[in-house]
Amino acid sequence: MDSIIKLKRFSEIDLNDPFFDSLKEDYQGFVNWFNKKSEKGEKAYVLEDNGIQAFLYLKIEKEKDDQIKPPLESGTRVKIGTMKVNPHGTRLGERFIKKAFDYALSNNIPELYVTVFPKHVALINLYKRYGFKLHGKKITSDGEEFVFKKSFLEKQNDVLLDYPVVNHLGRKKYLLGIYPVFHTKLFPDSKLHNESFDMIEDVSHTNSIHKIYVCRMKDVSKLDKGDVLVIYRTSDGRGPAYYRSVATSVCVVEEIRDIRQFSNLKDYLKYCEPYSVFDTNDLRRFYYNKKYKYIIKMTYNIALRKRLNRKTLIEEVGLNRSEYWGFIKLNDDHFEKILKLGGIYESLAINQTRVREKNL
């Protein structure tokens, strides 16, 4: 199964795939639009698995759009031109939303917008869940569409509505160690160069923005909603951990729960299964033996552009080599250095105090 999202030229994508039938029905000019993009050599993100399963076209716009009421004024923004996902319960839509955010950030553009027909309720709810707000409407020969807009600069003081921006002011910060066998399945965009592509599957825990981590480290019970986690992939055993263990990503805690808080197995499985790499049998075992009783639910916000190995974390960030690296508390200086050395886009990790100081 090939479940990798690929950036392909329109000319390489099969317009006759049944996947596009609904788009052809909704938009009279879809075929002409597609062919023009093909002639211009433009590209789109595609996931294929026995046919096309998902498609995302992104475009940078600067012009004022008078067809939208109220108009979108001139300014640089990313338009989610076309996004469609075949629903099959794997939360693939979340993975494509994250791809759109990553595209905007990589181009240093803080605003995105999308037009969507009112009948696509599930898609609208997906956009709203991650902070898109209704801006207005656009009426064309195809009908009336809602226009939703999201700005990374507009804070809504909510982990999901502000996603993927991390507001770390006053938040506790930790490094959380995760074994390699679980790492790539949970954090597909943080895949390392020495990991096989076939480790990334079209499954819920890989596609979802939300992740569940189950462990028995008692100290994780200190976590609170909004705390920040730097994900540390432990060594793969192919060499010294000094060079093979790496910090790869930044997550934000949504919730920390104790397995004893669940009144029954059904509720526990319902909470964990969609976002955990563990299968039902493992989760069932954890529920009954209570050894892995701490459950962290978190959002996967940032993949470091440069992975930081243990050597860098000790020598340049200042972490203590003698500590247990399963769960380490970081101070603000540690975290700032990780962001800087990891090449994080400045707009992604916000210290609100500094933002206010800049604006004074």
Side-chain angles (χ1 to χ4, degrees), residues 248-264:
T248 64
S249 13
V250 178
C251 296
V252 176
V253 175
E254 291 183 79
E255 189 175 35
I256 176 77
R257 299 188 70 171
D258 188 304
I259 199 169
R260 293 168 294 190
Q261 292 177 284
F262 294 92
S263 58
N264 55 59

Side-chain angles (χ1 to χ4, degrees), residues 346-347 349-360:
E346 188 176 353
S347 58
I350 302 292
N351 181 324
Q352 288 285 26
T353 296
R354 294 181 183 177
V355 171
R356 285 194 289 271
E357 287 172 349
K358 282 183 179 180
N359 292 334
L360 289 177

Side-chain angles (χ1 to χ4, degrees), residues 153-193:
L153 304 179
E154 182 183 344
K155 296 293 156 292
Q156 303 185 57
N157 296 315
D158 181 274
V159 172
L160 296 186
L161 297 179
D162 290 335
Y163 182 89
V165 174
V166 176
N167 179 8
H168 57 91
L169 174 65
R171 301 296 188 184
K172 300 191 295 292
K173 305 161 185 75
Y174 296 89
L175 179 143
L176 178 68
I178 292 183
Y179 289 128
V181 66
F182 304 131
H183 178 271
T184 298
K185 294 177 179 177
L186 280 175
F187 308 106
D189 295 325
S190 294
K191 184 182 70 65
L192 306 185
H193 295 306

Side-chain angles (χ1 to χ4, degrees), residues 265-283:
L265 175 63
K266 182 180 178 182
D267 289 347
Y268 168 74
L269 292 177
K270 182 180 179 182
Y271 185 82
C272 293
E273 271 189 318
Y275 310 112
S276 170
V277 295
F278 296 109
D279 62 24
T280 303
N281 290 332
D282 284 333
L283 291 172

Side-chain angles (χ1 to χ4, degrees), residues 91-292:
R91 300 183 183 277
L92 191 54
E94 290 184 21
R95 192 166 165 193
F96 271 76
I97 282 276
K98 188 175 189 309
K99 184 63 70 179
F101 290 160
D102 289 346
Y103 177 85
L105 289 162
S106 66
N107 285 283
N108 199 28
I109 298 173
E111 187 173 292
L112 304 92
Y113 84 99
V114 62
T115 63
V116 55
F117 287 116
K119 68 179 181 179
H120 296 306
V121 176
L123 189 57
I124 289 172
N125 288 336
L126 181 66
Y127 288 127
K128 291 168 71 174
R129 190 181 311 149
Y130 297 105
F132 281 83
K133 290 182 176 179
L134 182 63
H135 169 83
K137 296 179 180 178
K138 183 172 185 175
I139 300 176
T140 67
S141 57
D142 294 313
E144 180 180 276
E145 293 180 273
F146 290 141
V147 179
F148 286 91
K149 192 172 71 168
K150 177 182 173 81
S151 170
F152 296 141
L153 304 179
E154 182 183 344
K155 296 293 156 292
Q156 303 185 57
N157 296 315
D158 181 274
V159 172
L160 296 186
L161 297 179
D162 290 335
Y163 182 89
V165 174
V166 176
N167 179 8
H168 57 91
L169 174 65
R171 301 296 188 184
K172 300 191 295 292
K173 305 161 185 75
Y174 296 89
L175 179 143
L176 178 68
I178 292 183
Y179 289 128
V181 66
F182 304 131
H183 178 271
T184 298
K185 294 177 179 177
L186 280 175
F187 308 106
D189 295 325
S190 294
K191 184 182 70 65
L192 306 185
H193 295 306
N194 61 340
E195 293 172 336
S196 170
F197 276 105
D198 61 15
M199 294 177 70
I200 302 176
E201 301 175 52
D202 178 19
V203 291
S204 180
H205 58 257
T206 292
N207 293 329
S208 175
I209 286 171
H210 309 269
K211 309 295 176 184
I212 288 284
Y213 184 70
V214 182
C215 69
R216 55 183 177 183
M217 293 183 289
K218 185 178 179 181
D219 282 351
V220 304
S221 62
K222 301 174 183 174
L223 290 168
D224 292 306
K225 181 178 181 179
D227 286 349
V228 180
L229 297 171
V230 174
I231 302 301
Y232 175 72
R233 196 211 70 164
T234 58
S235 175
D236 58 2
R238 299 179 183 177
Y242 204 57
Y243 301 103
R244 304 291 296 187
S245 301
V246 288
T248 64
S249 13
V250 178
C251 296
V252 176
V253 175
E254 291 183 79
E255 189 175 35
I256 176 77
R257 299 188 70 171
D258 188 304
I259 199 169
R260 293 168 294 190
Q261 292 177 284
F262 294 92
S263 58
N264 55 59
L265 175 63
K266 182 180 178 182
D267 289 347
Y268 168 74
L269 292 177
K270 182 180 179 182
Y271 185 82
C272 293
E273 271 189 318
Y275 310 112
S276 170
V277 295
F278 296 109
D279 62 24
T280 303
N281 290 332
D282 284 333
L283 291 172
R284 189 187 300 271
R285 180 163 50 84
F286 297 160
Y287 181 79
Y288 286 118
N289 66 28
K290 301 291 191 289
K291 288 183 179 178
Y292 295 83

